[in-house]
Structures are given as structure tokens and as C-alpha cells.
Amino acid sequence: QRSHANDPDVTVQFYHTAPPLTPDRSPRFFPSPPPMRSPAPLLAALALSPGADAFRVPSSRRTAAAGASRCRAAVCPAPRRPPSSLSALPDLPSLVTAYSDDPLGDLLFGANGLVIAGTLATAAAVGATFYALLPKVGSASFDLTEAEQDAVDRVDAAYDAKPWEKEVTEEGSKGYVNRRRQANEAKEAYQERASEEGTARRGLKDRSLRYSEADLGFLAGLIRAADPAPGDVCFDLGCGAGRSTAGLAAVYPAFGKVVGVEFLAPLTKLANGYRGKVKGKKAAMEYRTGDFAEEDLSGAGCVFVGPANFISDADLQGALETLPSGVAVMTIDKRLGGDFTLVTEVADPSGDLVLNTGYVYRKK
């Protein structure tokens, strides 16, 4: 040990041989600084980074170099370890020493080119398929004849006659919203009255009393597919305020009669109020208050049920049991099995992404 000529506070230690090792084979420090952890884990991690050879451990027989100015600790390097298998990896950014603010870019940089190409090709195929469907979805509408379009317009004019009723909301015309409100009030009044009379909960009608109205253009397409005979009596099961009943009578005036069957008496009264407002040529209309599950359909030549997604299957099956063979049944979103043969399906004319499907069946 000798003093530095220019700075007496700095001393430099030189060792001509490696200092002895402790029993756990860690180097001994002179003069006795705090014990230092083995550098092996850090050196193994640094082997991942570019230029890993720059961190190779020198031979245990060489002397440790002196630290920078004002450093007192001198350490003997650990014995040279065999090359790590990690050093055989390609030159990739080290997870220990590298940081990026663009993790997505780093992932793409390290990803397999074939994987990226396959992903892009799949996305392109899905996009092309969806694009091919758009024209079909957007243009799905019926080509109505002049007579059919006139019939639809006349019924619409009768049910949404006032300017405020024609205004369109997200739920439909304000006229429709008003009719649905009246239907809900009639349903609540019925259920309250039935509860007071002690009707069991399972005896109450609930789901079958959800109010909805069919698109009249859709209805025209179903009538065309069903191909009824002139003079046939058509039954509209669950007719509500009678809009679909009026549509059947106006679109196909050759019907002998169109009978609307509605469970709630206030809606039957509302339907009769609209009957005289439909102008022009139309078939005779009749509205009945009753449970269509108990209606005798033996004299029917055609039946319309829809939109039927809320109608009880048991109620509908009970009504259709009395149908004669060969009678056409038109439904919206309701499949029939058993004694019925599917004649055709009719696409939704609305053109939006929430599609309905019409079905025409015949009784075997």
C-alpha cells in the first residue's frame, strides 16, 4: 500500500495473487468492506443483451483493476464460469436492461412473419364477407305492386292519421307508441282484476299479451307466398288494435272475411274504432274478444300469427288443432312442427341488422 502523491485521501491496493476464498467460495474483501453478493445472476441476464462478450469474467489469476478516483474498495473477480447456454440465443433486446414505450411495436417486431400474414389474411377475409352481406341486408325489401303499396298506405293513414302520430321515434311512430301504451294499461288492468278474483298466477296470461305490430309490407309478402283462394276466411290470432287485420283485408280484398281475435276487450274496442277509418277497397272485417287458444278454426282458409315470439306455444298449438288439412298458416319468428309442412321462408323487409323471418306452413 502506498499513498497517492497528489491526493493523500486516496489509496490504491494491488494484489499479485488472488485472495483466498471463503468456504462458500465468495471472494474475500480487503480491507474488510461489507460482503458483496455474487454477480453471477446479473451476468447471466446480461448475456441476453447485445455484445454479451463484453461482460466476460476475467481469469481468477489476474489482478483486479483499481477503481476510479475516490473509490476505496477493490474486489477479486469470481472464478470464470462456463459459458451459459443463454449466450447461444439470438441478439434480442434484454428484458433486464431494455425498456420500450411501444410494447405493441416490440411484439410485432419479434413476432413470426407467417403468423402476422395469416392474421391479416383472416381479418381481410372476415371483412370481405361482412362487406358482401351489407348489400343484401340493406336492400332486403319487397317489391310491392301498386295495389299492395296503396293498401299499405291506406292502413298507415288510418292508424297514424294525425301529424303527431306520424312522427317517428326510436321505438316507431308516435301512433304506435300510443297504441302500445294503451295495450299495456289494458294488460295491467286485466291482471289486477284477475288477482282480485283469486286467479292462480299460472292462470294469468303475461307473455302472450306483449303488444307488437307487423310490418305491412312483410305481411303482403306472406300473403303472396301463402297464395290464399278467393273467398277464404282468414283469422288473425292476437290482433291487438287490429292493424294487421286491416292490412290483411286491404292487401287481399278477395278474402271472404278477415276475423281478428284479441284477448283484451279494450283493444277489441280500439280495433273497431279504426275499422271505419280504412278507406278504399278491402275485405270485410270482424273483431272478437276471446282466447284464441279456444277459438274454433274449422272454418278457416288461412291463419296469420305474428309477430309471435311472445305467444305461448301451448296456446298456439291448442288453437291450430282445429284447423282443416291444407290450410296455410303465416307466422313471423315462429316455427311450427308436427302436423305442419314448411312451404317457404320470407326474408325481413326492414333492411336493418336485427332480422326477422316469416314462415308459411300448410296443415298436413
Side-chain angles (χ1 to χ4, degrees), residues 139-145 148-149 215-222 224 345-350:
S139 63
S141 61
F142 293 108
D143 294 326
L144 301 181
T145 65
E148 290 170 339
Q149 186 63 59
D215 182 285
L216 296 183
F218 205 172
L219 184 59
L222 288 171
R224 201 183 308 165
E345 295 184 8
V346 181
D348 188 348
S350 61

Side-chain angles (χ1 to χ4, degrees), residues 31-361:
S32 305
M36 186 174 183
R37 294 181 181 179
S38 173
L42 178 61
L43 293 174
L46 290 174
L48 289 170
S49 62
D53 290 337
F55 302 101
R56 189 180 301 280
V57 180
S59 170
S60 62
R61 301 296 302 171
R62 298 182 59 185
T63 314
S69 178
R70 300 189 181 280
C71 293
R72 294 182 177 275
V75 60
C76 177
R80 183 174 181 178
R81 300 174 62 87
S84 170
S85 59
L86 294 175
S87 62
L89 293 174
D91 225 14
L92 298 176
S94 173
L95 297 176
V96 178
T97 61
Y99 171 78
S100 171
D101 59 357
D102 185 15
L104 179 59
D106 291 343
L107 288 174
L108 292 176
F109 177 77
N112 189 308
L114 292 177
V115 174
I116 294 178
T119 302
L120 293 177
T122 302
V126 171
T129 302
F130 182 74
Y131 180 79
L133 289 175
L134 285 179
K136 179 180 178 182
V137 172
S139 63
S141 61
F142 293 108
D143 294 326
L144 301 181
T145 65
E146 287 188 16
E148 290 170 339
Q149 186 63 59
D150 176 68
V152 170
D153 292 342
R154 285 186 283 117
V155 175
D156 282 338
Y159 276 77
D160 292 336
K162 299 177 181 178
W164 70 267
E165 292 177 324
K166 298 179 185 295
E167 294 180 18
V168 178
T169 70
E170 292 181 355
E171 299 175 316
S173 71
K174 288 187 176 181
Y176 160 73
V177 174
N178 184 50
R179 291 188 291 275
R180 186 183 62 182
R181 176 188 59 79
Q182 296 179 73
N184 289 335
E185 291 174 354
K187 168 187 171 181
E188 292 170 2
Y190 150 72
Q191 292 181 335
E192 182 178 353
R193 184 175 63 256
S195 297
E196 292 174 353
E197 294 173 355
T199 304
R201 179 65 189 173
R202 63 185 179 183
L204 290 175
K205 288 187 177 294
D206 187 4
R207 294 184 69 252
S208 295
L209 301 180
R210 303 286 181 89
Y211 187 79
S212 60
E213 292 181 351
D215 182 285
L216 296 183
F218 205 172
L219 184 59
L222 288 171
I223 294 172
R224 201 183 308 165
D227 191 23
D232 280 350
V233 177
C234 184
F235 279 79
D236 181 8
L237 304 184
C239 66
R243 185 170 176 271
S244 54
T245 308
L248 289 164
V251 169
Y252 193 75
F255 279 129
K257 182 169 62 173
V258 181
V259 180
V261 183
E262 172 53 41
F263 184 77
L264 298 173
L267 292 186
T268 305
K269 182 178 179 180
L270 185 62
N272 277 310
Y274 283 112
R275 179 169 56 175
K277 297 180 180 180
V278 180
K279 306 301 182 182
K281 190 176 181 180
K282 59 183 181 294
M285 291 182 284
E286 177 187 346
Y287 293 103
R288 301 177 183 174
T289 300
D291 188 347
F292 66 72
E294 302 172 358
E295 187 72 25
D296 180 10
L297 301 179
S298 59
C302 183
V303 174
F304 174 65
V305 185
N309 49 336
F310 295 118
I311 290 181
S312 165
D313 290 338
D315 288 349
L316 184 58
Q317 182 178 359
L320 300 181
E321 283 180 352
T322 59
L323 277 180
S325 177
V327 171
V329 180
M330 302 173 287
T331 70
I332 297 178
D333 291 335
K334 197 73 168 182
R335 290 182 176 273
L336 303 178
D339 295 335
F340 295 89
T341 302
L342 179 64
V343 176
T344 187
E345 295 184 8
V346 181
D348 188 348
S350 61
D352 56 21
L353 295 178
V354 183
L355 300 179
N356 302 105
T357 304
Y359 303 96
V360 177
Y361 292 89

